[in-house]
Amino acid sequence: MPNRWNHVCVSIEYTDKGAERIIYADGKFNFQFTTAFLEEVKWLKGHNFTFGGRKFTYSGVHLHGMITDVQIFSRKISQEEMIGYTTCEKVGL
């Protein structure tokens, strides 16, 4: 939605079933999807981590806007934490 702040939390966990992605936006569950291990879902060592687009062509739409206050965790965060971050009830470290 234009001219509006959105709070988004994305969790990606690699398991033997593939890459599971869970997304919460503005305190509500938005999306969950698991894919097999494909080159496009792996974060390969030495490659840059990007937000809002990819360095190669894909079928999605690149973000048109600004991203601020990014946090990266070394563990899977819980559903409660995802809701807390996207409703601003929980603040970063």
Side-chain angles (χ1 to χ4, degrees):
M1 180 179 279
N3 302 316
R4 182 178 186 287
W5 284 101
N6 293 101
H7 299 91
V8 179
C9 188
V10 179
S11 171
I12 302 172
E13 181 179 31
Y14 295 104
T15 68
D16 57 348
K17 295 178 184 177
E20 179 185 42
R21 297 180 204 118
I22 300 172
I23 299 175
Y24 276 78
D26 298 323
K28 297 183 182 181
F29 175 78
N30 185 267
F31 184 83
Q32 181 171 357
F33 187 74
T34 302
T35 59
F37 286 117
L38 303 171
E39 287 302 315
E40 66 192 41
V41 299
K42 288 183 182 178
W43 183 9
L44 300 173
K45 205 174 212 175
H47 288 183
N48 293 328
F49 191 80
T50 60
F51 294 92
R54 296 185 182 180
K55 68 178 187 176
F56 53 87
T57 304
Y58 72 111
S59 60
V61 176
H62 287 271
L63 173 77
H64 297 286
M66 297 175 63
I67 298 175
T68 65
D69 304 324
V70 174
Q71 295 182 56
I72 299 175
F73 297 88
S74 62
R75 62 175 176 82
K76 181 178 180 177
I77 62 174
S78 69
Q79 174 183 357
E80 292 78 19
E81 288 176 301
M82 293 180 85
I83 292 169
Y85 284 117
T86 59
T87 58
C88 299
E89 292 175 9
K90 187 170 182 76
V91 295
L93 302 175

